[in-house]
Every structure is written in C-alpha cells, then in structure tokens.
Amino acid sequence: MKIESRNAESFAKNPGEQFLAVLVYGADSGLVRQRAQELARSAVPDLTDPFRVFETTADALIGDPARLCDEAAAIALTGGRRAVIVRDAGDSLAGLLGDYLAHPPCAAPQAALVVVEAGELKPKSALRGLFEGAKNAAALPCYADEGGQLANLIRKTLAAEHVSVSSEALRYLTENLGGDRMVTLRELEKLV
C-alpha cells in the first residue's frame, strides 16, 4: 500500500497492527530516518531496548537471509511487539523481503514491525513496487520540506520551545533550510 505524503506524519506515529513491514524512502535522508524512528517507536516506545529492537543493514541481511525471519519471529524477553530496522536498503533486498511478506514467520499480533530505510527509489523500483503492492506492507515516501511545509515545521519546532519567530526571520529560515529534515531540526535547535 502506498501512503500519501499528506498522511505520512500520522501514519508514522500509528501505522496499525495489520502491517508487517513499512518501507520508508526518499532523497531527504534526515526525514527518512525520523519517520523510521517514529514507526519503530509505534511498536517499541524505547528504541534503546536491546530485547525489543534489532537494527541491521541490507548487506548484513543479504549475507544471512534467515536472520530477518529469525528476528521478526523472536519473542521479546520483556514482552511486547518488537521492531526490526533495516538500513541502506535497495532493490537487491526485494527478493528476500518479498519472501518474508509472502510467508511471514508468524501471524500473531506479536510479529515484529519491520522498518526498511532506503534512499530515493524510482517508481519502477522492485523494492518500492513490492511494498506498494502488498496488503501487509506499506511504502512511505519522504519528500524534502519546502514552502508552506517548511514554514510550518519551523513554527511548530520553535513554538515547542516557546520561541516566537518574526515574519522576516521565518522567510530567511525557509530560504536557507529544508534540504534535510535532521539538519533543519539541528539548526533550529542551535537557534533556540
């Protein structure tokens, strides 16, 4: 299933139990990382919990294909749903993830949420097509903040710190920030 960009923020915070895996992709690597963390946090509130969170790379999974099913089916020692985070994914992982989605390791509600991070993927990408076409998975595109979206992000971030922004300062910030979500947030943090 493809998630529309206007629904991205709410979906990342609450994807629902029906999804076994979510692909988060786009040119804005900071936003991809932020959305992936929000998704993982929807299943596991503390992302530093080693019993409930497993992080790996696409290359590591290609070298050990059984690891994905093992980690996704594992039951957390402390209870609750687990999160499996896969970084640096590309089309080379499409076959492995396709097998996983076709034959999930367990259909119980405790099956881990697999969050797959990727860079920019073309519409004909095998990985993107897999997630967009699956009933038990979703593809979440991440587009760079610009214009009104960027202005809203700046206002919201500053307001959370009880800092107001003049229209001139807002215009300057929107003209000079926005290429990467994490860089934008760090620059705003410095300003605060």
Side-chain angles (χ1 to χ4, degrees), residues 138-168:
L140 181 62
C142 295
Y143 303 113
D145 296 313
E146 54 186 30
Q149 272 185 316
L150 180 57
N152 286 336
L153 174 66
I154 292 167
R155 276 192 215 98
K156 181 178 165 186
T157 303
L158 294 176
E161 298 296 329
H162 309 290
V163 175
S164 61
V165 62
S166 69
S167 58
E168 295 83 17

Side-chain angles (χ1 to χ4, degrees), residues 3 32 45 70 99 113 119 134 138 143 145 149 151 157:
I3 306 302
V32 168
D70 290 346
D99 289 344
L113 175 62
Y143 303 113
D145 296 313
Q149 272 185 316
T157 303

